[in-house]
Amino acid sequence: MIARNRASLRMRTAIAVASTALLCATVAGCGATDDGADLVLEFPSWQADDASFSPWWHELIAEYERQHPGVDIDFYQVPFDSFVAQQTTRFAAGDPADIVHLPAANAVQFAARGWLAPIDDRLAGTDILQEWTPLQQQLSWEGKTYGVLLLGYGYALFYNEDLLAKAGVDVPTSPDELLAAARAVSALPRDSFGFGATTAQNPDNYTELTSFLVGNHASWSDSEGAITATTPEALTALGQYRDVLATAPRGIQSQQRNELFLNGQIGMLIDGPFLLSELDGARPEVKEHLKVAAPPFEVTPGGISNSLHVPADADPEVARAVWEFIELASEPRWQQRYTEVTSVPAPREGSVTEAALRATPELELFGELADNAVDIFPEAADLRRNYGRVGDIVASGAIRLIATSTPVAQVADGLQRDLEGVGDE
């Protein structure tokens, strides 16, 4: 059996990779771990301390360890802002974690570098591909599947019905109505903002701006790989984004945006269903007015949140143990439990139970949005395998729209040029 020391695994997030690799190689021959486990699977995640998702993970891990005596899972927190960079460094150094948890939009980037194991043979013995959301297809690269999606969703409009009523506007159902409502709320005689968004440079700029593109039948590229940042539909979307975000507070990150919304100062924002759990933290006099509706676009933009993977070239025993963990997470009972605990629909068909709907009526809307969602992940192969670079380019373009008076067409030209250059890097 393979022995790992739990303490040494945690140290890997705090010291240099080269020194870490030497330490782990030294420790690996030291015998069983302190708690007697023969095999410890290292599992770093940004959700280990997340109030919405960590309870499900801890329940799942406890069940896995019960079913697999002698195997321990070392589940620990890594900050989201540095997560992808840290895992990239570790993979490049030949020191990946055992259970690979990734923001799903980055999965192809890792697969294209040969860092993830294809799992098609393992999937063939399951019903996952038949029962999963179509967004699972985003984890395929060059005809092979490299992971299992844990959350795919459509974006929703979260709004403060009290602020909209005071502004004399209805819940918007189109981009024009969204802009009119945002301006009306901003004009209220108090410190109110019509719309909430990430207005400091951040990876969230990509998701927020691209939601406007997809909502307007546009995208950054087409299925043939051509960059499409300057199409009439894209120009319309970029203009809408700039106009709506003119009503948003400046220089804030997503958490600050959420805090202002929960404090009753933001009229509307667009986000995934996972925001719903944060509404419980709103001020009591605000919470009763926070509602959710379909996004005000003709097309529902959607996203892929997070996914599980087996590292390439893993020891066969480790690879088998990791797959068995993924397979357990995919079972109907754990998919149903995911929906109950997180209040977002799991990707397996039938995971939204009647009990879950009674507890969280919004799940019906979230399920419909997920079923109809068009993913904001780029289609072009060069953009998919260089997603990190694409996110940086789009975030820079978003900030130009937010913080400068540069004409929309000029911003679009810059995005077109920079995205066309991604494949040459």
Side-chain angles (χ1 to χ4, degrees):
M1 300 290 282
I2 298 171
R4 301 272 183 112
N5 185 287
R6 182 184 297 272
S8 73
L9 291 171
R10 291 195 183 280
M11 289 174 65
R12 286 201 273 191
T13 64
I15 62 178
V17 171
S19 298
T20 299
L22 178 61
L23 174 64
C24 292
T26 301
V27 173
C30 293
T33 57
D34 293 340
D35 58 8
D38 297 308
L39 176 64
V40 175
L41 301 177
E42 187 192 6
F43 183 8
S45 172
W46 65 96
Q47 293 184 346
D49 293 339
D50 185 284
S52 298
F53 292 91
S54 65
W56 181 79
W57 284 118
H58 285 290
E59 288 184 24
L60 178 70
I61 288 168
E63 175 62 15
Y64 179 87
E65 292 177 341
R66 186 191 68 78
Q67 294 184 15
H68 296 76
V71 181
D72 258 6
I73 292 180
D74 184 32
F75 183 50
Y76 63 91
Q77 179 75 14
V78 175
F80 180 75
D81 288 348
S82 61
F83 188 86
V84 172
Q86 185 184 110
Q87 303 313 306
T88 299
T89 299
R90 291 192 55 181
F91 270 98
D95 181 39
D98 299 313
I99 298 175
V100 179
H101 189 209
L102 290 175
N106 295 97
V108 165
Q109 177 181 340
F110 280 61
R113 296 180 181 182
W115 291 346
L116 304 178
I119 58 172
D120 300 272
D121 290 346
R122 299 184 189 274
L123 287 169
T126 74
D127 65 352
I128 291 174
L129 294 182
Q130 292 74 35
E131 297 296 327
W132 240 240
T133 169
L135 293 171
Q136 166 67 28
Q137 297 170 2
Q138 297 296 348
L139 298 184
S140 296
W141 175 249
E142 295 186 339
K144 295 181 180 180
T145 304
Y146 287 91
V148 173
L149 186 66
L150 285 176
L151 176 59
Y153 56 88
Y155 284 94
L157 178 73
F158 291 82
Y159 64 95
N160 185 319
E161 64 177 359
D162 183 52
L163 288 181
L164 295 187
K166 289 177 178 176
V169 293
D170 296 325
V171 178
T173 60
S174 70
D176 288 343
E177 291 179 1
L178 175 65
L179 178 58
R183 286 173 171 170
V185 171
S186 293
L188 291 173
R190 54 166 295 183
D191 189 17
S192 299
F193 301 93
F195 194 74
T198 306
T199 51
Q201 188 154 342
N202 182 279
D204 288 331
N205 301 132
Y206 175 90
T207 60
E208 293 174 2
L209 175 52
T210 309
S211 293
F212 277 77
L213 252 73
V214 171
N216 280 275
H217 301 273
S219 65
W220 298 118
S221 64
D222 62 24
S223 58
E224 302 300 318
I227 304 303
T228 54
T230 56
T231 64
E233 295 83 4
L235 292 173
T236 296
L238 296 180
Q240 289 174 0
Y241 175 83
R242 164 176 276 175
D243 291 342
V244 171
L245 265 68
T247 71
R250 299 295 179 148
I252 64 170
Q253 306 284 0
S254 59
Q255 191 54 47
Q256 294 167 296
R257 176 205 67 172
N258 294 352
E259 290 169 0
L260 289 170
F261 184 63
L262 300 181
N263 198 42
Q265 292 178 259
I266 286 177
M268 298 167 291
L269 57 83
I270 293 172
D271 207 340
F274 34 78
L275 181 65
L276 183 68
S277 63
E278 293 196 33
L279 303 190
D280 288 336
R283 291 165 46 194
E285 64 273 25
V286 174
K287 181 181 175 181
E288 63 178 311
H289 299 298
L290 302 183
K291 308 295 182 181
V292 61
F297 301 119
E298 290 186 4
V299 177
T300 299
I304 49 176
S305 172
N306 63 111
S307 48
L308 287 172
H309 311 267
V310 180
D313 302 321
D315 178 275
E317 182 182 359
V318 170
R320 182 175 62 253
V322 171
W323 171 251
E324 289 173 353
F325 178 75
I326 296 173
E327 197 169 21
L328 179 66
S330 305
E331 290 183 0
R333 59 176 174 145
W334 285 104
Q335 290 287 289
Q336 291 174 5
R337 185 62 181 149
Y338 186 92
T339 300
E340 293 168 358
V341 171
T342 66
S343 298
V344 296
R348 176 179 279 278
E349 181 73 23
S351 295
V352 180
T353 64
E354 290 298 325
L357 274 174
R358 286 193 296 271
T360 309
E362 294 87 352
L363 282 170
E364 183 171 4
L365 171 64
F366 293 155
E368 292 173 358
L369 295 177
D371 289 342
N372 296 314
V374 174
D375 192 29
I376 62 174
F377 192 50
E379 291 188 68
D382 285 339
L383 301 191
R384 296 187 76 201
R385 66 169 170 256
N386 293 288
Y387 178 74
R389 176 62 182 142
V390 172
D392 291 341
I393 290 171
V394 173
S396 295
I399 295 302
R400 291 187 75 191
L401 291 169
I402 294 167
T404 77
S405 58
T406 306
V408 167
Q410 188 174 332
V411 174
D413 287 341
L415 286 165
Q416 180 82 16
R417 180 180 61 252
D418 291 345
L419 290 172
E420 286 176 343
V422 166
D424 300 328
E425 297 177 0

